């Protein structure tokens, strides 16, 4: 079974530029998560999708971050404009179940550096 | 508010010893708990999970204990090996939001 795929693996941008991350979840997984992991901290949930609907985006900085899940499969996370404090690893995860009650499988993450 | 925290940020053990990593959670509505292992440069990897209708669950060399009375979760690793060196996170799921929230993590270092 193929795992969660993310791209790119690394990205360096200047502040105020925009950036987009892509995630392909495990086939058939209804739930998709985007997490932000700052160095030395645990993953922080940004947004959770159930199929193509948003379950929780309470921690998403909506003035600069946006996310969509196309046809309930792939997802993109965008930051525009980026700030220095957005430097982090962005992790995508998917799970077969819903409501945060089943194992989530993680991708390798995208390491973003904002300079 | 909801929060998941860990008692110890770092843990150093001798190879072959048993390790115990602790976690406290505050949302009594959470009904699903997971332990993840994260190695440098990789995404979190599932270790073991437990539902709130259980107190204990065992896997291969790992055991998770859940104490709902004091909202405490622990991960026990038997005969710790150098390959167990990593950061360990607990996460709670379900709850009122139906999401999956992570704690800060504990770094486990295994001395040969």
């Amino acid at each position: 079974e193929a795992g969660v795929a993310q791209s790119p693996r690394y990205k360096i941008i200047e502040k105020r530029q925009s950036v987009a991350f892509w995630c392909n979840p495990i086939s058939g997984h209804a739930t998709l998560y985007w997490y932000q992991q700052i160095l030395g901290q645990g993953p922080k949930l940004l947004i959770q999708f159930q199929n193509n609907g948003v379950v929780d985006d309470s921690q998403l900085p909506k003035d600069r971050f946006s996310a969509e899940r196309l046809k309930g499969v792939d997802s993109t996370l965008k930051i525009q404009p980026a700030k220095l404090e957005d430097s982090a690893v962005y992790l995508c995860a998917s799970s077969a179940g819903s409501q945060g009650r089943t194992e989530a499988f993680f991708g390798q993450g995208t390491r973003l550096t904002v300079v | 508010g909801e929060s998941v925290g860990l008692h110890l940020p770092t843990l150093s053990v001798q190879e072959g010893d048993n390790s115990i990593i602790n976690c406290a959670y505050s949302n009594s509505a959470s009904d699903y708990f997971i332990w993840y292992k994260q190695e440098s440069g990789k995404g979190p990897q599932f270790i073991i999970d437990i539902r709130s209708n259980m107190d204990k669950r065992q896997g291969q060399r790992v055991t998770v204990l859940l104490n709902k009375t004091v909202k405490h979760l622990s991960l026990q690793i038997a005969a710790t090996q150098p390959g167990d060196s990593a950061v360990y996170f607990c996460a709670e799921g379900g709850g009122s939001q139906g999401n999956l929230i992570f704690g800060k993590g504990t770094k486990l270092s295994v001395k040969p």
Side-chain angles (χ1 to χ4, degrees):
Chain A
E1 178 181 79
V4 176
Q6 289 189 248
S7 67
R9 282 298 312 274
Y10 305 94
K11 189 74 177 179
I12 300 175
I13 62 172
E14 295 182 348
K15 59 183 178 183
R16 291 188 290 274
Q17 285 188 324
S18 62
V19 64
F21 312 126
W22 174 81
C23 173
N24 179 233
I26 292 172
S27 178
H29 278 193
T31 301
L32 186 147
Y33 307 86
W34 281 104
Y35 289 87
Q36 178 194 59
Q37 187 174 26
I38 292 173
L39 186 64
Q41 299 183 17
K44 171 189 169 184
L45 180 65
L46 293 175
I47 189 166
Q48 176 180 341
F49 292 95
Q50 181 75 21
N51 296 310
N52 61 352
V54 175
V55 171
D56 182 5
D57 63 357
S58 57
Q59 297 297 306
L60 187 74
K62 298 179 185 63
D63 58 333
R64 299 184 300 107
F65 286 64
S66 65
E68 61 179 2
R69 189 176 183 193
L70 306 173
K71 299 179 181 178
V73 182
D74 292 3
S75 179
T76 55
L77 177 69
K78 297 179 181 178
I79 307 175
Q80 181 181 9
K83 292 184 176 182
L84 295 177
E85 58 259 38
D86 297 333
S87 294
V89 174
Y90 290 84
L91 294 163
C92 179
S94 69
S95 67
S98 62
Q99 298 295 308
R101 293 192 172 95
T102 56
E103 175 190 353
F105 295 83
F106 282 80
Q108 295 272 54
T110 296
R111 181 177 296 276
L112 173 68
T113 302
V114 182
V115 297
Chain B
E2 298 177 7
S3 68
V4 177
L6 296 177
H7 296 309
L8 297 173
T10 60
L11 178 64
S12 183
V13 301
Q14 203 71 36
E15 181 179 358
D17 287 352
N18 297 333
S19 302
I20 299 177
I21 301 172
N22 296 302
C23 175
Y25 67 94
S26 61
N27 184 4
S28 58
S30 293
D31 55 18
Y32 179 64
F33 304 89
I34 312 178
W35 281 101
Y36 281 94
K37 172 186 180 182
Q38 188 174 30
E39 296 173 299
S40 181
K42 298 183 179 180
Q45 178 185 6
F46 172 87
I47 301 173
I48 191 168
D49 58 1
I50 189 168
R51 301 197 181 275
S52 59
N53 60 350
M54 302 174 68
D55 297 323
K56 179 180 180 179
R57 191 163 188 227
Q58 289 183 295
Q60 187 176 14
R61 283 200 307 119
V62 294
T63 300
V64 56
L65 298 177
L66 176 62
N67 186 329
K68 294 180 287 292
T69 302
V70 295
K71 298 188 185 71
H72 185 267
L73 192 69
S74 68
L75 176 70
Q76 300 177 1
I77 304 174
T80 313
Q81 302 170 0
D84 295 327
S85 294
V87 178
Y88 290 79
F89 294 98
C90 64
E92 58 179 317
S96 57
Q97 292 280 72
N99 51 22
L100 194 61
I101 302 298
F102 280 72
K104 291 184 175 63
T106 292
K107 182 177 181 180
L108 176 65
S109 296
V110 182
K111 296 176 289 186

